Amino acid sequence: MRIAYLDCFAGISGDMFLGVLLDAGLAPQVLHDAIASLNLGASLNLERVDRSGISSTRVLVFDGTEPAEKSTQPELHGSHDHTRTHTYDHTHSHDHAETHTHEKKPEEKPHHHGRHLSSIRKIINASTLADEVKQTAIRAFELLGASEAKIHNVDVEKIHFHEVGAIDAIVDIVAASAGIHALAVDKWFCSPLNVGGGSVDCAHGHFPVPAPATADLLRGLPTYTDSAGPQMELVTPTGAAILRALSPTFTQPPVMRVHRIGYGAGGRNPKGFPNVLRLNIGESAQAASTNTVTVLETALDDLTPQIIAHVAEQALQQGALDVMLTPVVMKKGRPGTLLTVLCDPEKASALEHLLLRETSTLGIRIHQQQRSCLDRSHQTVSTDYGEIRIKVGSLGQDAFKEELNANPEFEDCRAAAAAHNVPVKQVVQSAIAAYHSGKSK
């Protein structure tokens, strides 16, 4: 199984996440193509930098002719980017600034009211990105907007992302989503998060780190402050939102065979502190693994199909391994639906709350089961319709590895079929033929 481990000993931000993906081997064209599809006139500048002796990749966002705000003011922002947002309500004459106030420099553009969440959704949905990339990006922005709305006690649609900051955040989040899916990692893991120390100047006063929106996004996640480290903010709202959308398992480093190591740089280089995000990518050291999963079940006979479908989608977005809907006949002959959610034990509490909140059930059955899993990896084959990823399930390791299943990734096949105006099954058959004929690479 292909796994990845994020080591957030120096926190995480949007630009650090992009840098670490590239440094770990992601093709830069993946990010460039994703940004170009947004039609915002934005671009990326990639550079090698030194962070306390660690060579790492630094990513800067340009809004067309000049760097976006995070790139021109790294010193004001500590080590990372900031998604600048404020609410705008016609019944109030004041603005509510998320996270931080910013000292205006002469070369900066004047501040304007920017895009709200619905317009950002439209920009992402209008792009040519794959559906799963759009979903991840929109999910991250919705999480970011929801935290801002909660902090300011307003409706989420009244949250406005500052014009320059919005482009910056859209680029970070959309590019991160494209990179996440292009890496084809089967399972993500993450270390506890170093949030930094000290305080930041917000529109509401002097706040201890983390800033309010970041703190809300980090609820329920393992965080800490290293008193011996630099006293600055290390986790930004954009970085926290990307992590929430990624939904990794928070743990110590898993047992794995590491194939690639990447370092993504923050904006500053404090003495004696490597301001980088590290990513390890490799294979799980266990071939056929048996693990414990939590099963949540409830039978529903008084809920509309639309809501049931919505709950299933939300469960998957919140980290469920699988969701099943089974037609059942309940008491008095009433037709119903058995909703079954499969998840890692650490996600059971959140998913239990989701089912109790969103459905009409009065109770949920919860039990643990053992699951045996094949080791999963990806190979890429060349077809007449382009390159298609093949998910391979195997048993054993090294010389004893036996490939038992191989299936094309359906989203790759669907995109290729649409691009060439052919049936999806034709692309699937071509990919399988290419795989079995030894064209995988």
Side-chain angles (χ1 to χ4, degrees), residues 122-155:
K122 290 179 182 178
I123 290 172
I124 295 173
N125 281 324
S127 72
T128 56
L129 295 165
D131 287 344
E132 64 268 22
V133 175
K134 293 179 181 179
Q135 291 168 6
T136 301
I138 290 173
R139 172 66 175 160
F141 256 110
E142 288 176 341
L143 289 164
L144 188 57
S147 290
E148 292 292 347
K150 185 181 301 181
I151 296 300
H152 302 299
N153 194 28
V154 297
D155 184 86

Side-chain angles (χ1 to χ4, degrees), residues 387-440:
E387 293 189 341
I388 304 294
R389 288 175 301 158
I390 305 291
K391 182 180 288 187
V392 180
S394 57
L395 186 66
Q397 290 288 337
D398 302 327
F400 302 99
K401 179 176 288 189
E402 179 185 8
E403 294 183 354
L404 301 179
N405 290 305
N407 288 295
E409 288 286 1
F410 181 75
E411 293 301 331
D412 289 8
C413 295
R414 180 163 64 176
H420 291 82
N421 194 27
V422 298
V424 176
K425 64 180 181 181
Q426 189 169 322
V427 179
V428 171
Q429 292 166 355
S430 177
I432 293 174
Y435 174 77
H436 287 296
S437 65
K439 294 181 180 178
S440 58

Side-chain angles (χ1 to χ4, degrees), residues 237-297:
T238 304
I242 290 171
L243 265 187
R244 276 292 188 186
L246 183 61
S247 192
T249 297
F250 286 87
T251 181
Q252 295 302 313
V255 179
M256 63 186 296
R257 292 185 176 89
V258 177
H259 301 318
R260 292 182 178 274
I261 301 175
Y263 294 92
R268 297 180 67 181
N269 190 19
K271 183 178 180 181
F273 181 78
N275 186 24
V276 295
L277 174 66
R278 180 164 62 185
L279 174 64
N280 293 340
I281 300 177
E283 298 292 326
S284 170
Q286 299 177 354
S289 60
T290 300
N291 54 29
T292 300
V293 294
T294 300
V295 181
L296 301 92
E297 286 187 332

